[in-house]
Amino acid sequence: MGMKLYLLLFILGSSHAARNIPKDLWFGLATAAFQSEGAWNESGKGESIWDRFIHNANLRVNGDTTCDSYHKWQEDIENLKKLNVNHYRFSISWPRILPDGTLKSINQEGIDHYHKLIQGLIEAGIEPLVTIYHWDMPMHIYELGGFLNPQFADYFGDYARLLYQEYGPYVRYWLTINEPYSICNRAYGAGQLVPWLNLIGDGIYQCSYVLLKAHARAYRIYDEEFKSKYNGKVGLVISADWYEPASNTTVDSDARERILQFQLGWFANPVFKGNWPQIMIDRIANRSAQEGFARSRLPQFTQEEIDYINGTHDYFALNTYDNYIAKNDEQNITNPSYWFDVGASWVNNTYYPEGFRKLLNFINDRYQPESIMITENGLITGDYLEDDDRIAFLRGYINSLLDAIEEDKINIVGYTLWSLMDDFEWGSYNFRFGLIRVNFTDPNRARTWKNSGYWYKNILETRILDI
Ligand code: BGC
């Protein structure tokens, strides 16, 4: 190439700088069983709450086949290999392993399936990150009370132990439960996710109480029975967004702090510091008393429970997607509700990757985790292959991540993009997060790479981010 052309290209491209990506920072992709496996009633699998509720709702869409990854797992591994990822985060379907959720019957075909998947990944040089629970609860466990029944921790512990026994020698990174906030707030409280409950005043807090004990049980079982043999790491996947106060008044910055405590702190505080955030304890107790309740709607942990849950982390697993503008919104006593307990409101902010960096700093300062693994981040779009909007989003977020690592010196060990491919977005196939398109009307579920897939592959191969 002539010198002049070089110069021209340099000038044209000069708005794009290049930034090195540390060699030891892992990049990966994520999926979850119900969203991608399909084969909902094959090979001995039991029924999950998502199967049951979606079928009953007659939505014209369901998770019966979705990406058909239960059969196409080898093709998925091929794609992951081509993408050059370090790790793949997937979840195990509890009812595929234990059809009614209990040890009463173990489905060997289910066990074998994940052995093949895990071996396939390892042979491809891809580290498996296994989520034990990503929302597909066995129907029977739900009928026993699901996350409202304290016995849930026993069943969950039994299931987790079985997974450690089977896959412990091959899996070094375990994630107990995906997004407690989504489960307790959105599924049990706000009716947005199965089981579509509206227990926004009290059931949500009971859910969080049971869920944290279940997480801690799974953590402790690994720690006591498997850690010395396999030396893996176990964590809880916590979701959080970033909030900027609407004004520089104290009321709005206090409101922002309350939101962060009620979203992130709700689960991070018991696990990293012991007990609920004090502000939750005080506000919910206070409002409950005024509402005429005999005791706080937020269950009180015993000291023994606090000690059992505190410290149940080997890393901080973070899912993050959005950022918002927060303002004070205190309400007089009306119906008991989480939203009034928070006493704030928030609206979606524009694209603000700097918020990601701020969130990472907030987590690092407050909870001082040994390390942070981003277990989900990504952009929702429509159905198209020229997804340059996704590339722009990722470029900004990964750039912010590198700032947090290099300038703020936060120990971030990996970044996991949601998602490998378009999948069943909890009620719809129209919301697409994949680097790879899936044709859901094709019986073969053909997969086609989007622009973002080629882009991600390129930055993983070159270890250079074009900003
Ligand atoms: C969940 C995923 C979901 C994604 C995008 C996360 O809350 O863990 O299952 O698909 O967000 O909505």
Side-chain angles (χ1 to χ4, degrees):
M1 204 184 304
M3 201 55 206
K4 273 195 192 132
L5 188 54
Y6 253 126
L7 201 63
L8 180 69
L9 286 177
F10 177 73
I11 292 166
L12 284 177
S14 61
S15 61
H16 282 241
R19 183 165 188 180
N20 288 328
I21 296 176
K23 289 268 177 302
D24 55 354
L25 178 64
W26 283 13
F27 280 86
L29 286 159
T31 58
F34 186 76
Q35 295 179 271
S36 58
E37 279 181 2
W40 81 279
N41 60 356
E42 277 179 52
S43 317
K45 178 181 164 293
E47 193 182 17
S48 76
I49 53 172
W50 276 91
D51 295 317
R52 173 77 62 92
F53 281 74
I54 288 282
H55 287 153
N56 286 354
N58 278 323
L59 293 178
R60 282 181 311 180
V61 288
N62 55 49
D64 293 1
T65 308
T66 178
C67 310
D68 202 20
S69 283
Y70 183 72
H71 298 112
K72 296 172 82 75
W73 58 274
Q74 281 154 308
E75 191 179 335
D76 291 346
I77 294 179
E78 278 310 308
N79 276 321
L80 289 161
K81 212 167 139 181
K82 284 188 202 141
L83 280 153
N84 213 29
V85 293
N86 299 91
H87 65 278
Y88 179 48
R89 174 180 174 225
F90 64 93
S91 78
I92 290 183
S93 160
W94 185 350
R96 200 180 285 292
I97 300 283
L98 301 173
D100 79 352
T102 74
L103 291 178
K104 182 172 123 292
S105 61
I106 299 176
N107 179 30
Q108 193 56 43
E109 281 184 82
I111 303 252
D112 293 346
H113 171 72
Y114 296 106
H115 270 300
K116 284 186 285 183
L117 177 61
I118 291 168
Q119 288 320 316
L121 288 167
I122 291 171
E123 279 160 27
I126 300 165
E127 185 87 31
L129 252 71
V130 177
T131 313
I132 298 175
Y133 181 77
H134 200 127
W135 307 356
D136 43 358
M137 185 187 296
M139 199 52 215
H140 181 64
I141 298 293
Y142 180 70
E143 284 166 345
L144 292 175
F147 281 111
L148 302 179
N149 175 4
Q151 257 193 333
F152 179 88
D154 299 331
Y155 296 116
F156 186 67
D158 296 342
Y159 162 55
R161 179 184 288 106
L162 179 61
L163 299 191
Y164 301 147
Q165 282 162 348
E166 289 290 334
Y167 313 118
Y170 320 106
V171 173
R172 296 192 294 170
Y173 291 86
W174 293 94
L175 299 155
T176 55
I177 297 177
N178 182 65
E179 297 196 355
Y181 179 85
S182 296
I183 295 172
C184 295
N185 183 300
R186 298 182 57 212
Y188 274 69
Q192 294 167 355
L193 294 164
V194 164
W196 295 320
L197 294 172
N198 289 291
L199 305 171
I200 196 69
D202 44 16
I204 58 164
Y205 299 127
Q206 173 68 8
C207 167
S208 60
Y209 173 73
V210 172
L211 187 151
L212 282 164
K213 294 211 284 188
H215 154 75
R217 178 74 61 87
Y219 180 93
R220 300 269 174 221
I221 289 173
Y222 190 87
D223 204 46
E224 283 155 24
E225 302 171 28
F226 300 91
K227 182 100 178 171
S228 59
K229 272 185 282 184
Y230 305 136
N231 205 25
K233 293 185 196 300
V234 182
L236 173 67
V237 181
I238 296 179
S239 55
D241 302 306
W242 183 247
Y243 298 82
E244 287 290 334
S247 73
N248 53 17
T249 59
T250 328
V251 282
D252 283 343
S253 63
D254 288 353
R256 183 266 290 277
E257 171 68 18
R258 284 200 299 282
I259 301 170
L260 286 167
Q261 291 299 343
F262 269 80
Q263 187 191 38
L264 165 63
W266 188 6
F267 299 97
N269 221 82
V271 169
F272 284 84
K273 303 176 106 159
N275 213 347
W276 311 112
Q278 194 59 43
I279 199 162
M280 287 187 75
I281 297 176
D282 295 343
R283 285 180 63 94
I284 301 168
N286 187 359
R287 291 187 77 93
S288 302
Q290 292 184 63
E291 288 153 357
F293 283 87
R295 63 193 69 81
S296 176
R297 290 178 277 105
L298 182 68
Q300 200 180 340
F301 285 123
T302 62
Q303 190 55 48
E304 204 186 331
E305 287 169 335
I306 292 174
D307 296 340
Y308 189 72
I309 296 167
N310 191 10
T312 54
H313 54 85
D314 297 324
Y315 56 120
F316 196 115
L318 171 70
N319 288 1
T320 184
Y321 287 88
D322 297 303
N323 71 93
Y324 298 87
I325 304 286
K327 70 174 172 43
N328 182 47
D329 195 1
E330 289 284 18
Q331 304 281 333
N332 293 333
I333 296 299
T334 57
N335 296 330
S337 161
Y338 169 88
W339 310 114
F340 303 145
D341 294 337
V342 186
S345 56
W346 49 96
V347 289
N348 230 308
N349 196 3
T350 50
Y351 178 64
Y352 183 56
E354 187 65 17
F356 182 31
R357 179 177 176 185
K358 291 185 181 177
L359 177 65
L360 290 164
N361 274 279
F362 183 91
I363 290 172
N364 201 45
D365 295 346
R366 288 287 164 106
Y367 307 111
Q368 285 142 13
E370 40 284 88
S371 64
I372 301 176
M373 164 69 85
I374 313 303
T375 36
E376 279 183 41
N377 176 241
L379 182 72
I380 188 171
T381 68
D383 181 17
Y384 43 88
L385 296 174
E386 313 282 307
D387 59 342
D388 298 340
D389 44 357
R390 179 169 286 109
I391 296 175
F393 172 94
L394 294 172
R395 194 181 269 134
Y397 268 71
I398 295 171
N399 191 41
S400 247
L401 180 81
L402 297 180
D403 285 342
I405 295 172
E406 285 163 8
E407 286 167 39
D408 310 332
K409 310 285 176 221
I410 302 178
N411 184 19
I412 299 163
V413 291
Y415 175 86
T416 318
L417 203 164
W418 185 272
S419 175
L420 167 63
M421 60 199 152
D422 298 336
D423 60 15
F424 186 60
E425 183 50 33
W426 306 115
S428 170
Y429 286 104
N430 295 327
F431 305 125
R432 293 175 177 248
F433 281 91
L435 295 189
I436 294 177
R437 174 177 189 263
V438 177
N439 182 351
F440 294 104
T441 54
D442 172 358
N444 205 23
R445 296 301 191 269
R447 283 123 160 89
T448 313
W449 283 41
K450 303 182 190 178
N451 284 1
S452 59
Y454 294 103
W455 178 83
Y456 200 55
K457 173 185 168 69
N458 186 258
I459 69 155
L460 270 51
E461 270 168 12
T462 58
R463 291 263 148 188
I464 291 171
L465 179 70
D466 51 322
I467 44 174

